[in-house]
Amino acid sequence: MDRRAFLKTGAVLTSTGLLTRNPKMLFAEARADSNSSLTYKQGEKISEQTFVLDQELKKHTLHSVFQVNEDVLVNVLYIFGGGAMGKEDKLGGIWCQDSFEDLQILRFIDVKYEEMPVQIIPVACSPIYSTQHYGFEKRVLLDEPDESEKYQTAAKAFVESTEASFKSGLIPVQPYFDLRNRLLMNKREDLMPGQGYGEIYDWQGRFRADDETQTYGVPTIWFLDAAGVVLEGPFRGNLYHSDPYEINYTLVDIDRA
């Protein structure tokens, strides 16, 4: 049975602005809030303002995405490194090698839970801190305003390259996008955005593990219910290509959860 048809017809299951004057200053103010700089915890409801972008760069709150299918019991939020912006030497057209390897888990979940009230929400993060290695200006997705031609060109390349990996089957579900890396925002001083970045919200970085040491922190997996309450997570820290490699969760761990 088609999963969308199942979710529409199946039995109902129950489940439990800061305006940017100076981004660095405002983010410091947000961090002063006792909750804003902390990773979400199990049982906590995420901010209803949290948003992602679709392939046309239109905003959608995660809450609206969760509630598209009312029968969904578990939303699998899969945050990963997306398309390589046309760089041809990247496996599967994905800029993050760890995400390329880890996507096997997402494909497994998609097949196994196809007829169950589980919704997969992949969110592709851009190589925001290293665009100079992908044929674009350094920090173009971090410092340029949304309406700038430089930003629009880089954003288009990222979306199109991610869509190509989706169409090839590597990414099993239509992804959303986080071009500004808001969900996993790195609070390191030298990685803070410039004036063109726009608003910095108090929910930014709250999907990033408190003890995360990687620049990006992808891939990271969360389970949430339809109301945006955290059920499990974050699952993170799989380094498939480090020496030595480090695996903090496996396909079995995600399946059991």
Side-chain angles (χ1 to χ4, degrees):
M1 179 185 293
D2 180 83
R3 178 172 55 209
R4 290 184 294 272
F6 171 82
L7 292 174
K8 289 179 180 178
T9 62
V12 175
L13 299 174
T14 57
S15 64
T16 63
L18 296 170
L19 293 178
T20 297
R21 302 183 305 273
N22 182 321
K24 294 183 179 181
M25 179 184 71
L26 290 176
F27 194 73
E29 291 173 1
R31 291 182 63 187
D33 185 305
S34 61
N35 292 320
S36 64
S37 64
L38 302 176
T39 304
Y40 282 120
K41 301 298 188 292
Q42 187 172 343
E44 188 174 1
K45 186 175 181 179
I46 69 169
S47 169
E48 293 188 3
Q49 280 69 53
T50 307
F51 66 84
V52 290
L53 307 175
D54 64 20
Q55 60 268 44
E56 296 179 353
L57 303 186
K58 295 179 180 178
K59 290 183 180 180
H60 300 266
T61 66
L62 279 182
H63 279 268
S64 69
V65 175
F66 294 160
Q67 294 167 10
V68 167
N69 296 307
E70 296 180 352
D71 296 343
V72 166
L73 180 63
V74 177
N75 288 287
V76 180
L77 180 64
Y78 190 91
I79 310 170
F80 69 105
M85 305 177 75
K87 194 171 175 59
E88 296 181 355
D89 63 343
K90 294 295 183 179
L91 287 172
I94 297 292
W95 69 262
C96 173
Q97 288 186 312
D98 293 323
S99 294
F100 170 80
E101 303 286 0
D102 206 72
L103 279 164
Q104 63 173 316
I105 294 176
L106 199 65
R107 294 191 294 272
F108 170 83
I109 294 297
D110 181 54
V111 172
K112 181 169 182 177
Y113 293 92
E114 181 178 8
E115 296 185 5
M116 298 184 184
V118 173
Q119 179 174 221
I120 297 174
I121 304 169
V123 178
C125 294
S126 69
I128 194 169
Y129 308 117
S130 55
T131 46
Q132 70 274 20
H133 301 307
Y134 297 87
F136 295 88
E137 189 174 302
K138 185 176 182 180
R139 293 173 59 99
V140 64
L141 294 175
L142 192 61
D143 294 345
E144 289 288 324
D146 288 0
E147 62 272 15
S148 81
E149 184 176 349
K150 291 179 181 179
Y151 177 90
Q152 291 292 330
T153 301
K156 181 180 179 181
F158 175 66
V159 170
E160 288 183 348
S161 61
T162 306
E163 287 290 288
S165 294
F166 164 60
K167 291 174 182 176
S168 75
L170 182 66
I171 304 168
V173 178
Q174 173 64 56
Y176 287 90
F177 300 88
D178 184 7
L179 273 75
R180 298 287 199 182
N181 283 27
R182 297 183 188 275
L183 301 182
L184 298 176
M185 187 175 193
N186 195 320
K187 303 163 189 174
R188 213 171 73 194
E189 182 67 21
D190 63 317
L191 298 178
M192 289 301 296
Q195 281 294 111
Y197 184 88
E199 283 191 63
I200 295 180
Y201 306 91
D202 59 5
W203 50 263
Q204 290 191 206
R206 298 204 64 196
F207 291 90
R208 182 182 175 90
D210 286 330
D211 58 349
E212 182 62 72
T213 59
Q214 297 184 83
T215 300
Y216 290 94
V218 288
T220 292
I221 306 173
W222 293 82
F223 293 170
L224 305 102
D225 70 11
V229 175
V230 174
L231 303 174
E232 289 273 0
F235 295 91
R236 37 73 58 186
N238 278 0
L239 307 178
Y240 295 90
H241 293 275
S242 63
D243 187 16
Y245 64 86
E246 181 177 347
I247 303 300
N248 288 319
Y249 63 87
T250 67
L251 182 153
V252 175
D253 295 321
I254 300 300
D255 188 27
R256 286 175 176 171

